[in-house]
Amino acid sequence: MLNKRVSNKQSEKAQLAEMENQLVAAAESFAVELEFKPMFGGACAYVKSRIFASLSNVGLALKLSPDAQTELLKLEGAKRLQYETDSTPSKQYIVVPSEVWTDERELAIWLKKSVDFVMAQPAPRSK
């Protein structure tokens, strides 16, 4: 049982690392620096101190405008971010289908939409 848990943790870490690498590669196409911080067993991605993505065992989820959400949700495999089956689905984050986040050019399109959206929002307040 312990070996299975360790193996699952290693697999999740490898998937998170792959998602991070894909985001960094996609971001190079429009010269934006990303920062990643661990959060609740996953990670969050930031641009200029603004969170725009969640990376977890659920997948890669991007924070998007309502119009972009509607557009992405039309793709097979896209869904609202929901960490637990009994939790409320996110109103802003959409899980990107793996076919998109593994395609650098396609991911760059969605990444740019997400970054543009969060950068257009008011700056986060210092605590």
Side-chain angles (χ1 to χ4, degrees):
M1 185 74 158
L2 180 60
N3 286 341
K4 189 173 184 177
R5 269 191 265 154
V6 169
S7 178
N8 285 343
K9 283 286 186 196
Q10 290 171 339
S11 176
E12 286 177 16
K13 283 185 177 186
Q15 185 178 18
L16 288 174
E18 184 178 348
M19 284 187 267
E20 283 186 22
N21 291 337
Q22 289 296 110
L23 282 173
V24 169
E28 288 177 1
S29 69
F30 56 97
V32 65
E33 284 190 43
L34 307 182
E35 182 180 359
F36 297 92
K37 295 180 184 178
M39 191 170 289
F40 306 119
C44 287
Y46 295 78
V47 61
K48 296 186 180 180
S49 300
R50 297 169 191 225
I51 186 171
F52 72 91
S54 167
L55 295 75
S56 69
N57 62 346
V58 178
L60 168 64
L62 296 175
K63 187 174 189 178
L64 295 164
S65 70
D67 289 343
Q69 289 179 38
T70 300
E71 185 180 349
L72 185 56
L73 285 168
K74 290 178 183 175
L75 300 180
E76 185 176 333
K79 61 184 180 180
R80 294 199 173 278
L81 177 61
Q82 190 173 8
Y83 292 110
E84 302 291 333
T85 55
D86 60 345
S87 65
T88 304
S90 174
K91 293 181 180 177
Q92 292 186 311
Y93 288 87
I94 306 299
V95 176
V96 178
S98 62
E99 293 79 23
V100 172
W101 70 259
T102 57
D103 179 331
E104 188 177 313
R105 284 185 283 181
E106 186 71 15
L107 180 58
I109 293 167
W110 288 102
L111 176 61
K112 178 108 172 69
K113 289 179 185 192
S114 180
V115 168
D116 287 348
F117 175 68
V118 298
M119 293 307 294
Q121 304 304 305
R125 297 179 195 200
S126 298
K127 292 184 179 182

